[in-house]
Amino acid sequence: MSDLRSVFVDEGVLDINYIPPKLLHRNEEKRLLEHFFDYLLSAPYEMSQRAIIVGGVGTGKTALAQLFGRELLEKAKKRRVKVRYIHVNCRELRGSLFMILRRVVKIMRPDFPERGYAANELMEMLMQLLAEEDMQLLLTLDEVDSLIETEGTDALYTLTRVQEGSSEESRRLSLLCITKDINILRKLDKSTLSSLQRSLIQLKEYSSPQLSSILLSRAEAAFRKEAIPLEVIDFISELATQEHGDARYAIDLLWRAGKYADLEMSRQINVNHVRKAVPSVFPTLKEEYINHLNLHELYVLLAISRFFKSKNLPNASTGEVELLYKVVCEEYGEKPRGHTQFWKYLNQLKGFDAVNIKMDSSSQGRTQLISLTKIPAEDLEKEVLRLIEQK
Ligand SMILES: Nc1ncnc2c1ncn2[C@@H]1O[C@H](COP(=O)(O)OP(=O)(O)OP(=O)(O)O)[C@@H](O)[C@H]1O
Ligand SMILES: [Mg+2]
């Protein structure tokens, strides 16, 4: 029984890991995926394909791949074709080929021992398992940039070439890569690149009306009837459009706004609940975005948060932040890196919307102004401290 005093009837629908039964506004892209991997069903074991999905934060890349995988399996079952779909997030597995392969093998053989194998052995083992089960595998490498950053391009090369050297006729392993950053393609060798480019699917940012319809379909399942007026949905869509059409942000806001409504024992969610929710949802500070920062980049972020915590100013200069960065390094007993390196760290942080870095037009030299836009300095500090702790 759901709580009669709550606006929610099924909160789970707004959960981060919920995969909706269908994706709105992504039909064409899904059809492309079906087209690229059609041979798995129509001409099994004859080819091995790789494709790549590129798109910004919250454009539905992960959901699209997972939904496609789910449907692929249903079709395969009907046609009695042997296919498996395995989806791994490379960043979660620290971009390590070894950890990725171990995860895949473990999914195929849950009783597989944890220890004692190197990456190349695991690779062989995987191919052997597939041969034994006479199975085709579509492996999705989500956030593949992390794999390339950590292992260089060799790992992907190995994965795409593994079958070509073998004497076996059957093609069993196909790859679907996912990335936010199309620039990683430039790092690849020519042949891996060209095979990926031929099957590239680009997801555009959602527009505000598109976000509204996505939100509406979730809201219908998540909330009591009439608990959320249309204008509130549109209000959230507008906010998420400013976050580059990030559907995850939109859904998160929807959920938290519902929480605020419950807190006030209101029967309906209103725009004020949304406004209250905004500061607690940081679109760009989710763990997955800051998790890949290295220690010194986190130190720089900590320096930025400390600056704004102690001073009620809109901007910090790079000099001021660099000074605090050195203090932070001392605190952790680390040697601060040189000026050039500091600039590189700062550049890494440009990826976050929450930290804004722009040239100082009033200065002649290479000074930049840093500001913190979407998160209170105290919250940022807390979060960064937690991450440093973990490392
Ligand atoms: N077209 C859509 N219809 C319904 N729900 C969607 C759609 N697109 C995205 N979503 C939902 O929005 C959220 C974010 O989507 P998803 O995780 O797939 O984004 P992503 O592109 O993988 O983002 P990131 O790059 O941050 O990993 C998920 O909850 C997903 O179910
Ligand atoms: Mg994703």
Side-chain angles (χ1 to χ4, degrees):
M1 264 298 283
S2 60
D3 184 351
L4 285 175
R5 286 159 302 182
S6 170
V7 291
F8 292 101
V9 284
D10 183 3
E11 253 183 79
V13 176
L14 303 180
D15 188 272
I16 281 297
N17 297 314
Y18 174 82
I19 306 171
K22 79 183 208 262
L23 283 187
L24 300 164
H25 314 294
R26 291 295 184 226
N27 284 337
E28 219 170 283
E29 290 84 354
K30 189 143 101 0
R31 239 173 288 152
L32 255 178
L33 267 182
E34 283 160 7
H35 168 72
F36 290 148
F37 292 105
D38 176 63
Y39 67 91
L40 286 171
L41 303 172
S42 61
Y45 313 112
E46 283 190 11
M47 289 169 63
S48 135
Q49 169 82 277
R50 33 262 176 191
I52 184 161
I53 302 177
V54 183
V57 172
T59 51
K61 301 180 294 298
T62 301
L64 175 65
Q66 280 178 330
L67 208 65
F68 166 71
R70 191 188 278 177
E71 290 179 10
L72 179 72
L73 294 191
E74 281 163 16
K75 286 182 199 157
K77 206 168 162 194
K78 271 193 202 134
R79 296 205 198 180
R80 292 166 197 273
V81 178
K82 290 190 134 184
V83 181
R84 283 195 79 145
Y85 175 84
I86 294 181
H87 190 118
V88 293
N89 185 301
C90 301
R91 201 171 303 285
E92 266 171 33
L93 298 169
R94 283 190 257 136
S96 142
L97 179 63
F98 166 71
M99 286 176 71
I100 291 167
L101 287 170
R102 196 173 62 181
R103 170 69 57 89
V104 174
V105 170
K106 203 78 189 147
I107 291 172
M108 301 234 2
R109 282 281 159 89
D111 56 351
F112 188 77
E114 285 282 336
R115 284 163 192 284
Y117 296 97
N120 57 340
E121 289 172 313
L122 287 169
M123 189 75 235
E124 265 172 44
M125 200 128 6
L126 172 63
M127 296 318 287
Q128 207 177 316
L129 281 178
L130 292 173
E132 271 170 27
E133 294 182 17
D134 199 22
M135 187 60 79
Q136 308 179 85
L137 171 64
L138 175 55
L139 174 60
T140 294
L141 300 169
D142 206 341
E143 307 212 44
V144 71
D145 26 324
S146 165
L147 174 66
I148 296 171
E149 275 157 26
T150 313
E151 305 268 358
T153 55
D154 288 1
L156 207 54
Y157 186 82
T158 310
L159 281 167
T160 53
R161 290 302 123 72
V162 60
Q163 299 166 99
E164 278 156 31
S166 87
S167 53
E168 216 205 341
E169 293 282 303
S170 303
R171 295 283 174 260
R172 302 186 182 280
L173 179 63
S174 294
L175 295 178
L176 174 57
C177 300
I178 298 181
T179 179
K180 286 189 255 285
D181 178 14
I182 195 161
N183 290 320
I184 59 140
L185 289 176
R186 281 201 228 133
K187 296 190 184 154
L188 301 176
D189 65 282
K190 261 203 188 123
S191 72
T192 312
L193 174 68
S194 77
S195 74
L196 278 176
Q197 266 174 332
R198 262 180 278 127
S199 358
L200 175 106
I201 297 174
Q202 233 165 335
L203 301 187
K204 289 208 201 77
E205 287 174 13
Y206 292 119
S207 66
S208 178
Q210 285 177 333
L211 284 170
S212 284
S213 57
I214 291 171
L215 285 174
L216 196 62
S217 73
R218 287 287 168 103
E220 277 167 357
F223 297 120
R224 202 170 287 292
K225 234 182 155 90
E226 282 155 26
I228 183 158
L230 274 182
E231 64 261 24
V232 178
I233 298 250
D234 288 341
F235 183 60
I236 297 176
S237 311
E238 276 306 318
L239 292 172
T241 312
Q242 288 161 24
E243 295 304 334
H244 313 289
D246 180 346
R248 182 184 305 108
Y249 178 65
I251 293 168
D252 238 16
L253 267 185
L254 186 64
W255 175 70
R256 298 222 188 196
K259 285 290 182 199
Y260 276 101
D262 273 3
L263 208 66
E264 293 179 7
M265 295 199 258
S266 162
R267 303 284 298 164
Q268 226 183 25
I269 303 168
N270 61 38
V271 285
N272 232 0
H273 298 136
V274 178
R275 289 197 191 103
K276 283 189 183 149
V278 170
S280 58
V281 182
F282 314 122
T284 41
L285 269 177
K286 295 233 186 65
E287 268 175 48
E288 44 189 301
Y289 309 126
I290 68 177
N291 260 349
H292 76 274
L293 292 182
N294 68 33
L295 205 52
H296 279 267
E297 285 155 1
L298 287 173
Y299 290 162
V300 176
L301 205 52
L302 186 59
I304 293 174
S305 68
R306 294 222 168 130
F307 178 89
F308 290 111
K309 205 176 123 186
S310 64
K311 294 200 174 59
N312 203 358
L313 293 170
N315 298 306
S317 72
T318 35
E320 288 166 320
V321 173
E322 189 171 0
L323 215 66
L324 283 175
Y325 158 72
K326 288 180 182 158
V327 176
V328 170
C329 285
E330 243 167 59
E331 192 182 313
Y332 284 95
E334 291 259 352
K335 206 168 158 275
R337 305 286 190 261
H339 186 65
T340 322
Q341 193 57 45
F342 168 79
W343 272 81
K344 285 189 187 154
Y345 295 144
L346 207 53
N347 257 320
Q348 277 298 316
L349 301 180
K350 279 186 179 166
F352 303 121
D353 282 357
V355 177
N356 199 341
I357 302 173
K358 59 171 196 274
M359 285 311 285
D360 179 2
S361 51
S362 66
S363 93
Q364 303 287 328
R366 291 203 330 152
T367 294
Q368 299 198 62
L369 290 179
I370 299 156
S371 59
L372 200 59
T373 49
K374 293 187 178 130
I375 176 169
E378 292 80 15
D379 293 351
L380 180 64
E381 186 191 21
K382 239 187 266 162
E383 183 69 17
V384 176
L385 282 174
R386 196 179 60 77
L387 281 164
I388 291 177
E389 217 38 20
Q390 274 176 14
K391 304 222 164 189

